[in-house]
Amino acid sequence: MEQTINSLERTIGERVREMRTLQALTLDELAIRSGVSRAMISRVERGEASPTAQLLAKVCSALGTTLSALFASAADNPSPIARRAEQRLWRDPESGYLRRSVSPEGLGSPVDIVEVEFPPGARVVFERQPADRGITQHLWLFSGRLELTMESGPQVLEAGDCLFMGLEEAHIFHNPYDEPAHYAVILCRTKV
């Protein structure tokens, strides 16, 4: 059975708490590092809030991890195959974009592949995250059109286009068009 959005949302708080605890960080320390309020982090950890993509990006950067790593389960026997029915789904509660973790989990690969369905009218802003230096991504647009605004300037992507960018840059994803944008993100962690 396909991993449901709700089952993944239930684990987000547990994973944030687990990662924070492994780094011996208090809620206050994570709040300072991430720029997210202590109260909101506490609500996320207790499963009382449905965090947005922007909030999770800030928390992940402060924890030195990625969204893919946050969403991954700790598999006892990792498999080199990630069956579609077992791939984790998450929907951003603010923009409605749907994120599917395509890569097999638990293998230690520095590459993550994510499939995204970005609805018409959706807009997501990711602030500059200097802690993400050395993490890069390719965005390969399969269908639709997508506007990206980055520090280097705006880009309009059409089906078949592929854009390379550093994850530490501030960027805005926007779909002002009438059809969804469907794309893959190939993320590579090269930082040491």
Side-chain angles (χ1 to χ4, degrees), residues 75-89:
D76 291 333
N77 296 311
S79 171
I81 298 174
R83 304 283 182 199
R84 185 166 180 88
E86 298 166 355
Q87 295 167 357
R88 294 177 181 270
L89 295 172

Side-chain angles (χ1 to χ4, degrees), residues 2-68:
E2 192 167 90
Q3 293 287 320
T4 65
I5 294 166
N6 290 337
S7 70
L8 179 56
E9 285 194 354
R10 284 192 300 270
T11 64
I12 289 173
E14 294 169 4
R15 293 283 291 149
V16 168
R17 180 182 298 120
E18 174 187 317
M19 291 177 153
R20 177 179 61 79
T21 303
L22 283 172
Q23 295 182 35
L25 294 173
T26 66
L27 281 170
D28 289 325
E29 290 167 331
L30 182 55
I32 290 166
R33 284 186 183 186
S34 66
V36 175
S37 75
R38 178 191 191 286
M40 177 54 83
I41 295 170
S42 178
R43 289 184 63 220
V44 168
E45 286 187 354
R46 293 190 318 263
E48 296 173 359
S50 190
T52 64
Q54 294 101 325
L55 185 143
L56 288 177
K58 290 178 182 181
V59 170
C60 284
S61 181
L63 291 169
T65 193
T66 63
L67 284 173
S68 294

